[in-house]
């Protein structure tokens, strides 16, 4: 079997790679150092069609397939993990969900502004006691005469620092867990929203993560999809989100491999490059093989997202394999570079910190194994 990209997919990939080299990579170190959300880079990315990659052209998006989207996220992550995640949140978790479940007025209000970069999206699902157990929503949406009153707190909301709109998940029937959660489209300038903290983190710094407190009134027209069906929508969005995180992990892992190869060819000990030593060659071989295997799973998951109604198995396999392969690649790159990689401010040191998050957010590796096992057992 020969796997080849279509000419359109390949041209898009090359265009994004050029943008990543020329615009994103020069800003990567400062984004990490300052921890400031890269609004300028996001606006530039929007100009390249990277904030509405899969959104239909009729709503202002690029109308591209999911393989093209995964290739784009990998290319961006090779330059900056932070920019890649910020893009994936707006694309996979916000714009795609609005396009999937939104009513025409909701699409008209938000999709064009999201695709153009005029608006940035956030996905407010996680809570202090609702991470892996996402159905355990303590944020409540109580019925009022003219809509709902949302009260509660969300944590680690990526893009929240700069977001114009958040998809907020809240319990409309407390105690029923997944059967009683509703999704709401909430403008971030609405009265009653308080950004309570900007979380500092080990890696992917500058992602604009904040904790949010809500005491906000919303109308019936702000319900996304159907009442009490929000948990199902969250899981649908995460299927695409996990493909994007797999692609992000691949970009980080590939960047680590690139750094390791370049160093191994240049660094000499005992009169010859360390690339000539079998120990180094074996590490490079393992890195390349594991990343390429994970890339195949990621492309398979991206194709499944386009072609299947459900792709939970494929997306979980891709995220698990890619995040763990990338983690190993960053670890081996650190070993190959040794003191040159271990110093604060080196590219490998940043990659080593960034990659760890890919095994945590949008479902830990343990959660992915649970999903995979349940799917395998159900089909056995």
């Amino acid at each position: 079997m020969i796997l080849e990209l279509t000419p359109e997919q390949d041209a898009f990939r090359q265009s994004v790679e050029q943008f990543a080299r020329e615009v994103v990579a020069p800003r990567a170190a400062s984004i990490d150092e300052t921890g400031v959300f890269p609004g300028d880079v996001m606006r530039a990315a929007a100009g390249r069609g990277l904030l509405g990659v899969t959104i239909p052209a009729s709503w202002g998006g690029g109308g591209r397939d999911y393989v093209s989207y995964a290739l784009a996220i990998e290319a961006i992550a090779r330059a900056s993990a932070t920019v890649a995640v910020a893009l994936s949140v707006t694309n996979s978790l916000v714009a795609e969900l609005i396009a999937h479940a939104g009513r025409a007025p909701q699409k008209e209000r938000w999709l064009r502004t999201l695709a153009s970069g005029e608006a940035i999206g956030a996905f407010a699902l996680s809570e202090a006691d609702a991470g892996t157990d996402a159905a355990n929503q303590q944020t409540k949406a109580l019925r009022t005469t003219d809509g709902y009153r949302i009260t509660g707190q969300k944590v680690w909301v990526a893009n929240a620092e700069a977001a114009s709109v958040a998809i907020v998940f809240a319990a409309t029937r407390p105690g029923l867990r997944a059967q009683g959660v509703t999704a709401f489209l909430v403008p971030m300038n609405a009265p009653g929203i308080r950004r309570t903290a900007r979380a500092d983190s080990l890696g992917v710094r500058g992602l604009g993560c904040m904790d949010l407190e809500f005491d906000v009134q919303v109308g019936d027209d702000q319900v996304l999809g159907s009442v009490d069906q929000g948990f199902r929508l969250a899981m649908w969005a995460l299927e695409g989100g996990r493909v994007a995180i797999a692609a992000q992990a691949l970009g980080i892992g590939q960047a680590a491999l690139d750094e390791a190869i370049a160093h191994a060819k240049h660094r000499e000990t005992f009169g010859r490059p360390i690339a000539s030593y079998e120990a180094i060659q074996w590490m490079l071989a393992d890195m390349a093989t594991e990343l390429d295997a994970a890339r195949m799973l990621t492309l398979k998951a991206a194709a499944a997202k386009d072609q299947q109604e459900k792709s939970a198995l494929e997306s979980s396999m891709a995220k698990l394999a890619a995040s763990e392969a990338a983690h190993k690649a960053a670890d081996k790159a650190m070993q190959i570079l040794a003191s040159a990689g271990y110093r604060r401010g080196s590219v490998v040191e940043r990659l080593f910190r960034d990659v760890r998050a890919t095994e945590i957010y949008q479902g830990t590796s343990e959660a992915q194994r649970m999903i995979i096992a349940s799917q395998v057992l159900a089909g056995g």
Side-chain angles (χ1 to χ4, degrees):
M1 180 183 294
I2 298 175
L3 301 176
E4 292 184 351
L5 301 179
T6 67
E8 184 177 4
Q9 289 169 336
D10 193 46
F12 182 60
R13 176 185 61 80
Q14 291 185 45
S15 172
V16 178
E17 287 177 347
Q18 180 184 12
F19 172 74
R21 286 193 306 271
E22 296 177 357
V23 178
V24 183
R27 290 278 283 111
S30 63
I31 292 169
D32 176 68
E33 183 179 353
T34 64
V36 175
F37 186 82
D40 58 332
V41 180
M42 294 291 283
R43 287 187 291 274
R48 295 296 187 99
L50 293 173
L51 277 173
V53 180
T54 65
I55 301 306
S58 58
W59 294 108
R64 299 185 185 275
D65 60 277
Y66 233 79
V67 170
S68 295
Y69 172 50
L71 293 169
I73 294 296
E74 178 180 353
I76 296 296
R78 203 165 170 178
S80 169
T82 298
V83 175
V85 183
L87 290 173
S88 75
V89 170
T90 291
N91 275 281
S92 298
L93 303 185
V94 180
E96 287 175 15
L97 190 52
I98 295 172
H100 172 69
R103 294 182 287 277
Q106 295 171 331
K107 294 178 181 179
E108 187 63 46
R109 180 176 185 185
W110 293 114
L111 288 183
R112 298 181 195 283
T113 57
L114 288 167
S116 69
E118 182 182 342
I120 298 294
F123 188 77
L125 176 66
S126 294
E127 300 179 1
D129 295 314
T132 299
D133 184 11
N136 187 34
Q137 293 289 305
Q138 299 304 303
T139 296
K140 294 178 176 60
L142 300 180
R143 198 77 172 97
T144 63
T145 56
D146 53 354
Y148 294 86
R149 181 187 176 192
I150 301 174
T151 57
Q153 184 178 38
K154 299 294 183 177
V155 299
W156 288 98
V157 182
N159 288 0
E161 182 179 336
S164 304
V165 61
I167 299 180
V168 180
F169 296 86
T172 36
R173 298 174 70 186
L176 290 184
R177 292 176 58 82
Q179 287 72 41
V181 174
T182 301
F184 297 89
L185 278 169
V186 182
M188 288 295 287
N189 61 359
I193 301 176
R194 190 160 73 97
R195 295 171 169 89
T196 59
R198 188 176 80 178
D200 199 4
S201 57
L202 175 70
V204 284
R205 303 186 71 249
L207 187 53
C209 283
M210 304 195 80
D211 293 352
L212 301 175
E213 289 184 359
F214 292 93
D215 187 354
V216 60
Q217 179 70 34
V218 298
D220 288 321
D221 61 345
Q222 290 172 256
V223 173
L224 182 62
S226 301
V227 174
D228 299 333
Q229 297 300 308
F231 187 77
R232 178 181 57 81
L233 293 182
M235 296 304 103
W236 182 93
L238 287 171
E239 288 182 7
R242 286 165 182 160
V243 175
I245 297 306
Q248 182 220 5
L250 289 173
I252 299 171
Q254 187 63 50
L257 177 58
D258 294 343
E259 291 290 318
I261 291 171
H263 183 81
K265 289 180 175 179
H266 172 76
R267 171 66 169 159
E268 293 189 358
T269 60
F270 306 105
R272 56 182 176 140
I274 63 172
S276 66
Y277 294 108
E278 192 174 67
I280 301 298
Q281 293 174 0
W282 284 17
M283 282 193 277
L284 294 172
D286 286 347
M287 295 160 72
T289 300
E290 291 169 5
L291 287 171
D292 213 34
R295 185 171 289 110
M296 294 300 100
L297 279 173
T298 300
L299 294 175
K300 177 184 177 182
K305 180 65 176 170
D306 274 330
Q307 299 166 11
Q308 301 172 192
E309 183 179 348
K310 295 182 179 180
S311 56
L313 176 63
E314 293 86 352
S315 63
S316 288
M317 283 183 168
K319 183 182 183 295
L320 176 64
S323 62
E324 296 199 348
H327 188 172
K328 291 177 185 177
D331 184 66
K332 286 184 170 69
M334 180 69 75
Q335 192 69 15
I336 291 169
L337 270 75
S339 59
Y342 195 68
R343 65 177 176 80
R344 181 74 170 174
S346 78
V347 172
V348 167
E349 181 262 348
R350 169 164 50 84
L351 297 171
F352 189 81
R353 289 184 288 105
D354 285 345
V355 76
R356 194 62 181 86
T358 66
E359 296 172 289
I360 299 173
Y361 47 35
Q362 294 194 37
T364 62
S365 292
E366 292 72 25
Q368 303 317 307
R369 287 183 168 91
M370 290 167 62
I371 294 168
I372 294 165
S374 68
Q375 294 282 323
V376 170
L377 289 168

